[in-house]
Amino acid sequence: MPQQTPPLDHSQGRAFISDGDIYYSPNCSRSVTVPNRNPSYPFAVGATSLRRHQTPEWWTNAFGFLSFTPTWCYLEDVLIVILHILREKFFLRLKPYFLPPPPSLLGFDQVFFSAHGARYRIGRARDWFIVWIGLLSFYIACIEGEPDPLQVPDWFNFLASEKEVDHILPELEFEKAREAYIASKPWEPFFAAQKIINDRMLANETPQDREARLSRERKNPTVSAEVFVWDWSIEEDMCLVRTRVHKKECEDNLAFYRGSQAHYDSFQNEWDLCEYF
């Protein structure tokens, strides 16, 4: 009995009419604008932009490869999957290492409340992809050892044989460990010690100091206050570090962290920011 082709899934698609023509995509549900049929040269100096190639364009033989430009989330998934597969297959050839956090943990896929905050977070995440590409290069170097220029390397043959590479979502041990670390609320000892200091200040507070503190509590300052961000250490894989923010970056950081993520201390006139608070 011949194998039947499964029915096309339309649940993730979208159809719309533009200038009397019907357009349909089976795998894209977002609203799009029909592009110009006579586009200009896309790689002109001063006009090159990744964003330009992440919107619909008419297919051409010369620039058809642009339709395969990945989104950041997809690129992150591919890097994680490839590294996971190589680690499982060539474990004995790989040297010990600490797995860096994925770029998405830096917040590029979150909702931003200001353009400054968006640029700050997205810029950090964009640059962090280079670290993951470096890790992939490190894997390949460890696996190849002294490569034979006339022989296809093992890692390439192995990945080529993995037909489901795009659909494998590995369980990353470091994510589970970090979840447990965050659940322990590692910032609480710091705030407990800070409260002891603040209680001593309260006991010796002058009327002028009290009025100034209450004024800060009524309207938390954003210019005069020091700002600290709790973020992952670059030296220890499972450690949040409290780091002072440069004055020029205070506004961007305060705009990014909202609600419980931002803690203001009116005694010290300091902000503590962390996405895990």
Side-chain angles (χ1 to χ4, degrees):
M1 183 176 180
Q3 185 177 3
Q4 295 183 348
T5 303
L8 184 63
D9 180 11
H10 299 279
S11 62
Q12 302 298 319
R14 181 184 179 90
F16 66 96
I17 299 176
S18 177
D19 294 332
D21 294 323
I22 300 176
Y23 296 88
Y24 171 71
S25 172
N27 58 2
C28 178
S29 59
R30 62 190 175 96
S31 299
V32 298
T33 301
V34 178
N36 185 353
R37 285 190 175 272
N38 297 301
S40 59
Y41 177 64
F43 301 143
V45 176
T48 53
S49 170
L50 176 61
R51 181 181 300 177
R52 174 178 179 177
H53 305 304
Q54 291 180 325
T55 57
E57 297 183 31
W58 291 106
W59 175 274
T60 63
N61 289 331
F63 304 109
F65 66 91
L66 291 174
S67 62
F68 293 88
T69 303
T71 63
W72 283 19
C73 290
Y74 178 78
L75 178 59
E76 177 182 279
D77 287 345
V78 169
L79 286 170
I80 291 175
V81 167
I82 290 176
L83 289 167
H84 174 77
I85 291 175
L86 292 178
R87 183 176 62 180
E88 292 293 313
K89 175 65 176 179
F90 301 103
F91 177 79
L92 295 178
R93 300 193 197 179
L94 297 175
K95 296 178 174 62
Y97 65 93
F98 285 106
L99 194 66
S104 59
L105 282 185
L106 300 181
F108 69 77
D109 57 347
Q110 297 183 9
V111 176
F112 301 96
F113 296 93
S114 73
H116 293 295
R119 283 194 293 267
Y120 174 72
R121 281 287 172 167
I122 292 173
R124 290 183 62 194
R126 175 200 60 205
D127 295 342
W128 198 246
F129 273 101
I130 298 175
V131 175
W132 277 79
I133 294 172
L135 179 58
L136 178 58
S137 299
F138 168 77
Y139 268 38
I140 293 173
C142 291
I143 293 170
E144 286 190 356
E146 295 294 333
D148 184 347
L150 300 179
Q151 183 178 4
V152 178
D154 292 347
W155 63 269
F156 184 88
N157 285 325
F158 180 70
L159 286 179
S161 68
E162 290 290 321
K163 303 300 183 182
E164 301 298 323
V165 65
D166 289 344
H167 305 287
I168 299 174
L169 294 178
E171 293 186 1
L172 301 177
E173 295 180 0
F174 86 94
E175 287 189 355
K176 293 183 178 180
R178 281 193 164 175
E179 289 177 1
Y181 175 76
I182 294 301
S184 70
K185 298 183 178 181
W187 49 83
E188 286 190 341
F190 169 82
F191 287 123
Q194 198 81 314
K195 184 178 184 304
I196 294 175
I197 296 174
N198 292 347
D199 289 344
R200 292 174 182 171
M201 294 178 64
L202 179 62
N204 298 287
E205 196 173 49
T206 65
Q208 293 80 6
D209 291 338
R210 182 175 184 275
E211 180 58 32
R213 175 176 59 81
L214 293 178
S215 176
R216 291 193 293 269
E217 290 182 359
R218 287 190 293 268
K219 185 176 182 180
N220 301 155
T222 58
V223 177
S224 63
E226 296 282 356
V227 178
F228 296 84
V229 169
W230 294 68
D231 211 341
W232 295 108
S233 169
I234 62 175
E235 298 178 351
E236 298 183 46
D237 203 37
M238 296 294 166
C239 181
L240 286 176
V241 178
R242 185 177 188 255
T243 305
R244 186 191 304 271
V245 175
H246 192 278
K247 280 292 185 182
K248 293 182 179 179
E249 299 177 351
C250 288
E251 180 183 356
D252 290 344
N253 280 273
L254 289 171
F256 176 77
Y257 295 91
R258 294 287 179 169
S260 62
Q261 297 178 333
H263 173 81
Y264 176 70
D265 186 333
S266 60
F267 285 93
Q268 306 296 328
N269 193 24
E270 294 176 350
W271 286 93
D272 280 275
L273 311 176
C274 181
E275 61 182 294
Y276 306 110
F277 282 173

